Amino acid sequence: EESLQMWDLNKRLEAYLARVKFLEEENEVLQAEIQSAKSSPGGDSWRAKYEEELRALRDALDHAFREKCTAELARDNLYEEVQQVKSRCQKEQAAREEAKKLLSLSRKELEEERRAQIWLKERAVQLEKEVEALLEVHEEEKAGLDQEIASFSQSLESFRCAPVAFQPVEVEDYSKRLSEIWKGAVETYKTEVSQLEGSLCQAKENLWKAVEDNQQSQLQLQHLEKDLAGLKARKEMLEESLARQWQEQRGEAEKFQVGEGGEQQPLSTVPPARVQAVLEDRQQLMHLKMSRSLEVATYRTLLEAESTRLQMPPG
C-alpha cells in the first residue's frame, strides 16, 4: 500500500512538473509578446483597445453574475415551493390514510351496532311473546274468578234476606298477588336486559382487544419477514463469497502444484499451513516487484523530463 501511495504521489509530482514547465514556456512567450508590443509604435492604441475589450468583458461578466444570482434566487424559491407542495401532499396523504382507518373502524362499529340491535330486537320479541302469554294466563285466571263471583252471587240471591254489600276480599287478594307477580317478572326482565347489555359491552371490548392484538401481530410478522429476507440475502452473499474464496484458493493450490511439478512430493502430503504461507510470500514478492518497477519508471521519466527542460534554450 505504501508503494502504491508513493507511485501515486510520484505521478502527481510528474504532472505538476509538466504543468510548471508548460506555464514557464507560456510565460516566456507572453513576455516576448509584451516586449514586442512595447517596442512597437502602435502599442498605446492596442492597449486602449484591449482595455475597452476588457471593460466590456467585465461588464458582461457582471451582467452574467447578476443573472446567475437572480436565477439562483428563482431556483431557491422554486425549491422551497416544491418542498412546501411535497409537505402538503404528505400531510394530505397522511390525513387520507387516517380518514380511511377511521372509516373502516366506524364501519366495524356500525356493523357491531346493527348486530346488537338485531339481537335486542329478537330479545324484545321474545319478551313480548312471554308478556302476551302471561297476559293470556292472567285473563284466563280473571275469567275464572269472574265465573266464581257470578256463581257465588247467584247462590246469594237464593236467600230471602236483606241485601248486604258484598266485599270481594278474595278478588282483591288475587289481584294483589297478580300485581306482585307482574312486578317481579318485570324486575327479572330488567335485570336480564342489564346483564345482557353488560355482556354486550364486554364482548365489544374483547373484540377491540382481539383486533388490536391482530394488528400488532401482523406488524410483528411484517418486521420478522423483512428481517428474514435480509438474513437470506446476507446468507446468499456469504455463500457466494465463500464459494469465490474457495475457488481462488483451489486455483492457487493448482498453480502451486503445477509450479512444484518437478518435485516428486504430491500436494496432498504438503500441510495446508505451508501452502498458505508460500502463497502469501509469493503474493508479497509480486507486490514488491510491481511497486519497485513503478517507482523506477516514475523516477526515470522525471529525470528525463528535467534533463530535457534544462538542456532546452530559453524561449
Side-chain angles (χ1 to χ4, degrees), residues 279-290:
L279 290 173
E280 288 178 356
D281 292 337
R282 291 185 65 184
Q283 192 172 4
Q284 290 178 0
L285 289 173
M286 290 293 291
H287 283 300
L288 288 173
K289 185 177 179 182
M290 188 183 296

Side-chain angles (χ1 to χ4, degrees), residues 96-159:
R96 191 179 298 168
E97 294 294 332
E98 189 68 23
K100 286 181 180 179
K101 290 180 181 178
L102 293 173
L103 182 61
S104 62
L105 292 174
S106 62
R107 285 178 179 174
K108 289 180 181 178
E109 290 178 356
L110 182 61
E111 290 177 358
E112 291 175 358
E113 290 292 334
R114 287 177 179 173
R115 292 174 183 173
Q117 287 179 0
I118 292 168
W119 184 81
L120 289 172
K121 285 180 181 179
E122 292 176 355
R123 186 61 180 168
V125 171
Q126 291 178 0
L127 291 173
E128 287 177 355
K129 289 180 180 179
E130 291 178 0
V131 169
E132 289 176 356
L134 289 173
L135 288 172
E136 289 177 358
V137 172
H138 178 66
E139 292 293 334
E140 290 176 357
E141 290 179 354
K142 187 177 179 182
L145 289 171
D146 291 335
Q147 289 177 2
E148 289 179 0
I149 290 167
S151 62
F152 186 70
S153 62
Q154 288 176 2
S155 62
L156 285 176
E157 286 178 356
S158 62
F159 293 99

